[in-house]
Amino acid sequence: MTIVVALRVMAQNRMRSLLTMLGIIIGVGSLIVMVSIGEGAKAAVQAQIATFGTNVIAILPGAVTAGGVWTGHGGAVTLTVKDMEEAGKVPHVQNVSWARRDATQVVHENKNWFTTINGVTPPFFTIRAWSLTAGDFFAPTDVEAGATVAVIGNTLVTNLFEPGEDPIGSTIRIKNMPFRVVGTLAPKGFDTRGTDQDDVVFIPFITAERKLMGTKFLGSIGMGFLSADSPDNIRPVVAEVGGLLRQRHKLRPDQTDDFTIRNQLDIAKVQEDSSQSMTMLLLAVASISLLVGGIGIMNILLVSVTQRTREIGIRLAVGAKRWHILCQFLIESVILSAIGGILGVGLGVAGANLISSYAGWPAILSFRVIALAFSFSSLVGLIFGLYPANKASRLNPIEALRYD
């Protein structure tokens, strides 16, 4: 009966009830939209990290000092093929590869494109989880023979070849040297730093070292790659490889590493922390909207107590208990916030889908978030309805009956 009375009061004051619920509607809707966008951004970053490969560990030449002058990362030759071969013998290392890179112009017939040339060994493609759209990867025999073959990324296919033209078997020129295209890579898109991973050409490592990039530092590499056999073994492998390289480079305990080891767990943690911070910020903004909505409910109920003082006095005079009055106003508050929460959920779901469709932002709707937003809105109604309800229940029946 108390619920029926509460609904009747709301029906008699439809506009006031709607305006009271508006803060809750906006708060719940914005909460769902913002958290959905935050979760979508987090998933997008994780997908970008996944394009780098599975359980990948990258080793780069580090900064060294000569006469007090630091070269910066990659400023000196500190990694060799032999280093990586020994690192590949560390327990739980599944694959090992190394690379040298250079940036130059690539020409095909009357078209050209400036891109990155990477000399790699065949396990590189397994480590980076790269697949082909056509053709094949070059084989170990191509590396040993220094064959002039190339595997190209999707960006090269788009900019060097006509639409519908098959690149397989075609000839491209790198520093005026002809290379036969043997494979085209499946697109990976941009990485977490905004670099186009498809704007790349891969050639055999020996070919890059001896025919394109020079033999001044024979056996040196620009970067090494390892893959662990499971995510749990990434950190142990990093620690053991780090110790091995320090030993091979004869570094004293007081000397800093002349190499840098990066792994996906560290990259993922940084990105996850950033996404989490953004999600929490958006959550705080939406929560403020809900609190404002709660204050609106409290304000309207206080007005309602004043307007219905005589009604409260009559109910108390005919035998209603104080807790009856308390429950009546609390139920009105909760119903207001619950209906506002339901409308807010609808607004949030529609808003998230709209933003995802038209703005192109990823948005992931979660039942957990929707349930949390609705529960929070009901809790706000309960908390902010306590004061007006308590005030109404403590009215003196005689004074209330005299109120005009």
Side-chain angles (χ1 to χ4, degrees), residues 1-14 17 21 308 328 331-336 338-339:
M1 193 63 198
T2 305
I3 294 174
V4 172
V5 171
L7 291 173
R8 188 180 300 156
V9 170
M10 290 173 57
Q12 291 172 352
N13 301 276
R14 292 188 183 89
S17 299
M21 292 186 291
R308 295 160 61 189
Q328 179 185 345
I331 288 173
E332 288 182 20
S333 175
V334 172
I335 289 177
L336 279 171
I339 295 176

Side-chain angles (χ1 to χ4, degrees), residues 234-244 261:
I234 289 179
R235 297 200 187 281
V237 167
V238 168
E240 192 155 349
V241 169
L244 172 68
I261 302 179

Side-chain angles (χ1 to χ4, degrees), residues 22-23 28 52 129 153 187 219 248 253 313 395:
L22 195 57
V28 171
F52 192 66
R248 286 186 53 80
L395 287 175

Side-chain angles (χ1 to χ4, degrees), residues 124-394:
F124 172 86
F125 300 106
T126 302
I127 294 171
R128 290 290 312 274
W130 226 313
S131 58
L132 293 164
T133 55
D136 297 295
F137 297 116
F138 45 77
T141 53
D142 293 323
V143 178
E144 295 168 5
T148 52
V149 293
V151 178
I152 63 175
N154 187 64
T155 301
L156 271 292
V157 174
T158 302
N159 289 282
L160 290 181
F161 296 89
E162 297 294 336
E165 182 181 358
D166 185 8
I168 305 301
S170 300
T171 299
I172 59 174
R173 300 187 71 83
I174 306 172
K175 293 185 177 180
N176 291 322
M177 182 177 294
F179 282 77
R180 179 169 56 90
V181 177
V182 295
T184 56
L185 295 166
K188 276 183 176 282
F190 292 86
D191 62 15
T192 54
R193 297 174 298 175
T195 303
D196 184 2
Q197 299 181 87
D198 303 316
D199 190 3
V200 69
V201 175
F202 292 108
I203 61 175
F205 180 81
I206 297 295
T207 307
E209 181 182 53
R210 299 181 180 175
K211 296 181 180 181
L212 279 186
M213 303 177 190
T215 57
K216 182 178 179 182
F217 301 107
L218 192 62
S220 67
I221 63 173
M223 183 179 292
F225 296 92
L226 302 170
S227 65
D229 56 10
S230 76
D232 294 335
N233 290 325
I234 289 179
R235 297 200 187 281
V237 167
V238 168
E240 192 155 349
V241 169
L244 172 68
L245 292 178
R246 286 189 63 85
Q247 183 181 356
R248 286 186 53 80
H249 296 180
K250 297 179 173 59
L251 298 175
R252 298 188 306 272
D254 61 327
Q255 288 183 293
T256 58
D257 294 341
D258 60 356
F259 55 88
T260 303
I261 302 179
R262 296 175 181 168
N263 64 82
Q264 283 180 298
L265 295 181
D266 293 336
I267 297 171
K269 188 176 187 309
V270 171
Q271 297 296 335
E272 186 176 340
D273 288 345
S274 299
S275 298
Q276 190 71 21
S277 298
M278 181 58 67
T279 302
M280 292 303 294
L281 176 63
L282 296 175
L283 191 62
V285 172
S287 299
I288 291 172
S289 299
L290 276 175
L291 291 176
V292 171
I295 293 171
I297 288 177
M298 183 172 66
N299 183 46
I300 292 300
L301 286 179
L302 284 172
V303 172
S304 180
V305 169
T306 303
Q307 292 177 339
R308 295 160 61 189
T309 299
R310 187 172 180 81
E311 172 197 330
I312 295 168
I314 294 172
R315 294 189 65 184
L316 290 170
V318 296
K321 304 295 184 183
R322 292 190 183 276
W323 67 270
H324 290 143
I325 306 299
L326 180 71
C327 286
Q328 179 185 345
F329 279 86
L330 274 181
I331 288 173
E332 288 182 20
S333 175
V334 172
I335 289 177
L336 279 171
S337 59
I339 295 176
I342 293 171
L343 295 176
V345 167
L347 178 66
V349 171
N353 288 325
L354 194 65
I355 291 174
S356 181
S357 300
Y358 289 94
W361 291 357
I364 297 179
L365 287 167
S366 167
F367 175 77
R368 178 178 59 85
V369 174
I370 293 174
L372 178 65
F374 178 76
S375 301
F376 189 43
S377 69
S378 299
L379 184 63
V380 165
L382 181 64
I383 292 173
F384 283 91
L386 274 174
Y387 177 70
N390 185 59
K391 182 179 179 181
S393 68
R394 291 183 177 276

Side-chain angles (χ1 to χ4, degrees), residues 34-55:
M34 291 179 179
V35 173
S36 298
I37 291 174
E39 290 296 316
K42 182 179 176 181
V45 169
Q46 290 173 342
Q48 284 182 328
I49 293 172
T51 64
F52 192 66
T54 305
N55 306 330

